[in-house]
Amino acid sequence: MNFLSEIFKRRGLIVGPLLVAAMAVLPLIDFELPGIFPGPSSNPGTLQILALALLIGSLALSYHLLLGVAGLLSFGHALYFAIGTYGLAILLRQTDIALLPAMLIVGLVGLVVAAVLGRISLQVSGIAFAMVTLAFAQAGSVLIRRNSEITNGEEGLPINTANVPDYLVGVVNTKNLFWLALVIAVIAFLLVTWFEKSRAGHVVAATRENELRVRVLGIRPTRVKILAVVSAGVIATVAGMVYFVLQSTASPANISADLTLTLLVIVVLGGVGSRWGALIGGVIYMILDQRLTSLARAPELKELPEFLYIPLSEPLFLLGSIFILVVLFLPGGFAGLAKRFRTGKRAKLKELA
Amino acid sequence: MSDVILLLMTGLGLGALYFLIAGGLSLIYGLMGVLNFAHGSFLTVGAIAGWEISKLLGGDSWGVLLISMVVGALVGAVVATATELLLIRPLYLRHIEQALITVGLSLASVALFEGIWGVDPNYVSRPPWLIEVTKIAGALVPNDRFLLIGSAVLVLFGMLAFLRYTRFGLIIRAGVENRAMVQALGIDVRRAFTLVFAIGGAVAGFGGVLASQYFGYVSPHLGGNLLIFAFIVTIIGGLGSLVGAAIASVLVAVLQQFANFYLGGTGDLVIVVLLIVVLLTRPTGLLGKRAH
């Protein structure tokens, strides 16, 4: 029995690699999932959506590090994503640096910015922290819109492929980008897991639960909180860079408050504090976002009466409503629901005893 | 000189709009600890209701504008009350979840507005006087600024009088100060929760009609665009303080106008810097009490 529960506990060690392997072979086979994939899985269009979904999943994981692990409610996390997209876009356009060193430089920029802004914003906590981060992201958004000679303003900055290796350019090579996105998602997941299990992760989690007690124990929580902010910032920057190469444009939407709110929605829907919830929530959100838009234009919908057709044709309306229902009736999100199903029987037995 | 006066009047007019959102936001946060992301939608729904009623009645007379203001305020109040009763109250005192639910509501409502009224701005008709200008010390000031400033001042004093001279106002003020004590004295503070939501919604809906007069159009993003600045205003002014919100509204809007004009369009950036400075030197804001 113990042995079984041990396996049950470590099922992540088995399920994880299996899932990754299954994802990795998708571009090589014609796997169809009607209604969810727009075509067979070797189709570049499908791979593009899946790669985007994996990157948003990684971004959601980095947000999980802030909200779920450190308990920091940030409204400006999109800033680091935009440092990734715009940083790489500007470096590729303005300089002759090759892709890999350019990515290293942008990653470093993300790290430094996260460290400096984290230091400032962690002067305050709670709602005030949320507001400061919102203000920083807002300032970044203004900078991007105002300096249109560098960033191309509202239009967005297209990629300059001169220094990008050929195997990452063009529709034919979407599968390479998909594998890259998969690698990023796996690394992000391992990094976040490692952080949570490390001493710093334990201190951060303890601080989330009771900061005063951590201080009484003689530990300074600010340093580990900054570590969490920096780790989350770097993961978001890396996800942003690959997202940029995949989308081949850096757009002001990358830094909008809406993107951060979306991450918040994903993490809460997945279940605050759940790694799998954040990753899978991000993936599902992105697929839904891509597919709902096309489903909303489905001819069958048009035949419905207007009061049904209008709300159903707005993906954000559906998402917002689902979100409200989850917050009201499913605290713990979908991960919490899954857990309740697993432990439901045992809990009932305990209740009886 | 005329530049300065025009900038000042425009800043005051914009500040009036900020106040009409931030005042309600600040009271709601001060009393209930709820950060209301849906407040922009209250403004938008008021603006849309006002626009629809003025379309229905036709014409651009003052009477129609007055009716649309009343309708905007009423619709804002009804929507806000329903929000409080149906969505906020079941999550009593769970502040993060309450903030999250308003995030969901703002996403869903903006999408719904887009679905029904379209993404493009709908232009409103205005009384002719509002489009004209008045000459003050050489500056040509558009008349709508006076309407905005006058209305906001009336709302501010109305709200202050309500808070000072009525029993409900007393409960709200006491609740902002110390909610636990008010409850301990046997007063059902949840009625006051519904009331501040209704007041905040009415003021925001009223502000929506004024905003549509100021910008000349109604769009689903009208409220959301103003909400970010209203948040900043609320933080700078101090959460829970109506007078603080009024002072900060004027400060933020005027500073924004002057920086936009004299510092090459850096208005938004200057505001963000101001927010950071205030937060780091005085985290509770200009007139704020301790945070909940």
Side-chain angles (χ1 to χ4, degrees), chain A residues 239-321:
Chain A
M241 288 191 279
V242 181
Y243 187 90
F244 164 68
V245 179
L246 191 66
Q247 288 283 58
S248 61
T249 317
S251 94
N254 298 155
I255 196 171
S256 66
D258 281 353
L259 179 61
T260 308
L261 287 185
T262 309
L263 293 177
L264 180 65
V265 168
I266 289 172
V267 169
V268 173
L269 283 183
V272 177
S274 159
R275 272 193 306 274
W276 282 105
L279 179 63
I280 295 174
V283 170
I284 292 178
Y285 168 80
M286 199 61 201
I287 292 175
L288 279 184
D289 185 59
Q290 297 282 327
R291 298 301 296 161
L292 277 178
T293 323
S294 56
L295 284 183
R297 294 199 197 96
E300 295 86 7
L301 260 180
K302 285 240 162 69
E303 288 159 16
L304 289 172
E306 203 173 48
F307 71 94
L308 277 178
Y309 163 66
I310 288 177
L312 289 180
S313 62
E314 292 288 335
L316 266 181
F317 176 80
L318 294 177
L319 184 74
S321 309

Side-chain angles (χ1 to χ4, degrees), chain A residues 67 73 75 120-121 123-124 127-128 130-132 134-136 138-140 142-143 146 257-258 261-262 264-265 268 272 310-311 313-321 323-325 327-328 331, chain B residues 29 35 37 86-87 90-91 94 96-101 103-109 111-112 114-116 221 228-229 231-232 235 239 260 264-269 272 275-276 279-280 283:
Chain A
L67 182 68
L73 182 62
F75 284 147
I120 298 175
S121 52
Q123 295 276 336
V124 290
I127 294 291
M131 289 296 145
V132 181
L134 175 69
F136 283 139
Q138 214 41 36
V142 170
L143 283 177
R146 285 281 145 76
D258 281 353
L261 287 185
T262 309
L264 180 65
V265 168
V268 173
V272 177
I310 288 177
S313 62
E314 292 288 335
L316 266 181
F317 176 80
L318 294 177
L319 184 74
S321 309
F323 181 66
I324 290 175
L325 293 177
V327 173
L328 274 178
Chain B
Y29 186 85
L35 191 67
F37 271 90
L86 297 177
L87 298 179
L91 296 169
R94 283 157 55 195
I96 296 280
E97 279 89 347
Q98 286 175 329
L100 291 180
I101 221 162
V103 168
L105 182 63
S106 77
L107 289 177
S109 59
L112 192 63
E114 283 186 355
I116 301 175
H221 295 280
I228 285 200
F229 291 109
F231 273 149
I232 294 177
I235 302 280
L239 291 156
N260 269 340
T266 52
D268 298 349
L269 220 51
V272 170
L275 172 71
I276 291 166
L279 271 173
L280 295 184

Side-chain angles (χ1 to χ4, degrees), chain A residues 11-79:
Chain A
R11 72 195 179 285
L13 288 181
I14 303 161
V15 176
L18 274 180
L19 203 68
V20 172
M23 294 282 288
V25 296
L26 275 184
L28 306 175
I29 54 174
D30 280 342
F31 179 65
E32 300 232 23
L33 213 53
I36 296 177
F37 291 176
S41 64
S42 60
N43 179 328
T46 312
L47 287 178
Q48 167 99 358
I49 290 181
L50 285 176
L52 287 179
L54 283 169
L55 291 173
I56 296 297
S58 318
L59 189 60
L61 263 177
S62 72
Y63 196 78
H64 152 80
L65 197 53
L66 288 177
L67 182 68
V69 181
L72 295 167
L73 182 62
S74 165
F75 284 147
H77 197 51
L79 176 67

Side-chain angles (χ1 to χ4, degrees), chain B residues 40-272:
Chain B
S41 294
F42 298 165
L43 181 133
T44 311
V45 85
I48 289 175
W51 171 66
E52 284 282 358
I53 201 85
S54 73
K55 230 177 30 174
L56 202 68
L57 297 173
D60 45 12
S61 67
W62 282 100
V64 172
L65 179 59
L66 202 65
I67 292 172
S68 61
M69 282 174 175
V70 173
V71 169
L74 277 179
V75 170
V78 168
V79 172
T81 309
T83 304
E84 204 280 329
L85 290 177
L86 297 177
L87 298 179
I88 306 290
R89 181 164 288 192
L91 296 169
Y92 185 62
L93 289 189
R94 283 157 55 195
H95 299 314
I96 296 280
E97 279 89 347
Q98 286 175 329
L100 291 180
I101 221 162
T102 61
V103 168
L105 182 63
S106 77
L107 289 177
S109 59
V110 170
L112 192 63
F113 298 150
E114 283 186 355
I116 301 175
W117 286 282
V119 189
D120 299 326
N122 292 298
Y123 295 94
V124 296
S125 57
R126 296 187 274 185
W129 181 79
L130 282 183
I131 306 166
E132 291 163 18
V133 293
T134 302
K135 205 165 189 180
I136 302 180
L140 297 171
V141 182
N143 285 337
D144 54 6
R145 313 289 196 265
F146 301 113
L147 176 73
L148 289 171
I149 298 165
S151 312
V153 169
L154 278 181
V155 167
L156 172 63
F157 283 109
M159 282 168 91
L160 284 176
F162 177 82
L163 287 178
R164 181 139 308 169
Y165 298 114
T166 65
R167 189 180 150 70
F168 276 117
L170 184 71
I171 294 174
I172 292 173
R173 275 188 296 144
V176 172
E177 206 73 41
N178 187 341
R179 187 177 47 220
M181 181 57 85
V182 175
Q183 281 169 307
L185 291 172
I187 293 165
D188 184 4
V189 91
R190 282 182 301 178
R191 292 229 303 266
F193 288 179
T194 313
L195 190 68
V196 285
F197 250 84
I199 294 175
V203 171
F206 175 72
V209 179
L210 285 177
S212 66
Q213 292 290 322
Y214 177 79
F215 294 113
Y217 62 83
V218 174
S219 89
H221 295 280
L222 196 62
N225 291 340
L226 288 166
L227 186 67
I228 285 200
F229 291 109
F231 273 149
I232 294 177
V233 161
T234 318
I235 302 280
I236 291 179
L239 291 156
S241 165
L242 208 53
V243 178
I247 295 173
S249 300
V250 171
L251 187 69
V252 163
V254 170
L255 207 60
Q256 205 177 9
Q257 292 298 323
F258 276 89
N260 269 340
F261 190 78
Y262 289 111
L263 301 175
T266 52
D268 298 349
L269 220 51
V270 167
I271 299 310
V272 170

Side-chain angles (χ1 to χ4, degrees), chain A residues 1-15:
Chain A
M1 201 62 207
N2 257 342
F3 172 72
L4 272 180
S5 71
E6 194 63 22
I7 285 188
F8 206 54
K9 252 186 228 156
R10 292 174 179 269
R11 72 195 179 285
L13 288 181
I14 303 161
V15 176

Side-chain angles (χ1 to χ4, degrees), chain A residues 215-231:
Chain A
R215 284 179 188 278
V216 168
L217 289 172
I219 303 167
R220 287 203 200 132
T222 313
R223 221 179 289 162
V224 282
K225 276 198 220 165
I226 291 179
L227 196 60
V229 169
V230 169
S231 316

